[in-house]
Amino acid sequence: MFYYNYGDLISKEYKLLLMKLKTEEKFAFLQLAQYVAQLDGEYGPKEREVVDEYCTEMGIENIEIDVKNFVLEDILAIFSSSKSQRIVLLALMVLVHVDDKFGIYEHKIIDKIAHNFNISEQEVHLFSMWGKMGSALYEQALVFIAE
């Protein structure tokens, strides 16, 4: 199918990817996304908007987590298949690029997640480029639909 609206295409792709997660994985992803979004000390409006979109697409409520009780290794262990691990990393890449500030803390956590998931540095780079493009298309779509 040919899409004229690239923002619509990228939105559909996220939905297709995130909908492939199991219910437990969706809630774990929400916690992980909120954790990653808050790493730089700022959980800004763009990041909140993306996390809200993710929740809508996954069909779950956006319940804010207490980052003090967050244990990364426990959350990552929930994603047992390579497919779900890659979906998680792709979606996180959009989130870390949406505010145009892929900072050192975000970079370190993405590397740690990728290492835990056994995803190569080259693949992480490709996922990052995809995430950067996805976040740019998402921003363009918001401009197109603004009233």
Side-chain angles (χ1 to χ4, degrees), residues 26-48:
K26 290 176 183 179
F27 286 100
F29 173 74
L30 171 59
Q31 292 179 51
L32 184 58
Q34 288 180 4
Y35 175 75
V36 169
Q38 296 178 46
L39 276 176
D40 60 3
E42 182 184 337
Y43 189 17
K46 286 184 178 183
E47 292 162 321
R48 286 183 184 277

Side-chain angles (χ1 to χ4, degrees), residues 8 14 26 40 50 52 61 63 65 70 81 91 93 103 107 111-112 120 130 138-139:
D8 185 44
Y14 293 156
K26 290 176 183 179
D40 60 3
V50 169
D52 284 341
E61 187 177 344
I63 302 166
I65 64 159
F70 183 84
S81 76
M93 286 301 192
H107 192 69
D111 285 347
K112 187 173 186 175
S120 74
W130 185 88
Y138 179 78
E139 288 297 311

Side-chain angles (χ1 to χ4, degrees), residues 16-17 19-21 25 79-90 117 119 127:
L16 291 174
L17 290 176
M19 289 306 297
K20 292 180 185 293
L21 296 177
E25 292 174 331
F79 305 101
S80 56
S81 76
S82 174
K83 183 178 185 176
S84 64
Q85 292 169 351
R86 290 170 181 281
I87 289 169
V88 164
L89 196 55
L90 281 167
F117 288 169
I119 296 175
F127 286 16

Side-chain angles (χ1 to χ4, degrees), residues 21-122:
L21 296 177
K22 298 174 187 166
T23 302
E24 181 185 25
E25 292 174 331
K26 290 176 183 179
F27 286 100
F29 173 74
L30 171 59
Q31 292 179 51
L32 184 58
Q34 288 180 4
Y35 175 75
V36 169
Q38 296 178 46
L39 276 176
D40 60 3
E42 182 184 337
Y43 189 17
K46 286 184 178 183
E47 292 162 321
R48 286 183 184 277
E49 189 173 339
V50 169
V51 171
D52 284 341
E53 257 319 295
Y54 285 163
C55 289
T56 300
E57 292 163 1
M58 292 186 293
I60 62 173
E61 187 177 344
N62 188 357
I63 302 166
E64 298 233 359
I65 64 159
D66 179 9
V67 228
K68 294 174 188 143
N69 298 323
F70 183 84
V71 181
L72 179 63
E73 291 74 19
D74 292 347
I75 293 297
L76 296 181
I78 294 171
F79 305 101
S80 56
S81 76
S82 174
K83 183 178 185 176
S84 64
Q85 292 169 351
R86 290 170 181 281
I87 289 169
V88 164
L89 196 55
L90 281 167
L92 288 176
M93 286 301 192
V94 173
L95 182 62
V96 298
H97 285 293
V98 76
D99 63 357
D100 295 321
K101 299 181 216 169
F102 189 20
I104 187 71
Y105 297 116
E106 292 169 325
H107 192 69
K108 284 182 178 181
I109 201 69
I110 290 295
D111 285 347
K112 187 173 186 175
I113 293 167
H115 178 73
N116 185 287
F117 288 169
N118 201 25
I119 296 175
S120 74
E121 194 175 313
Q122 181 182 8

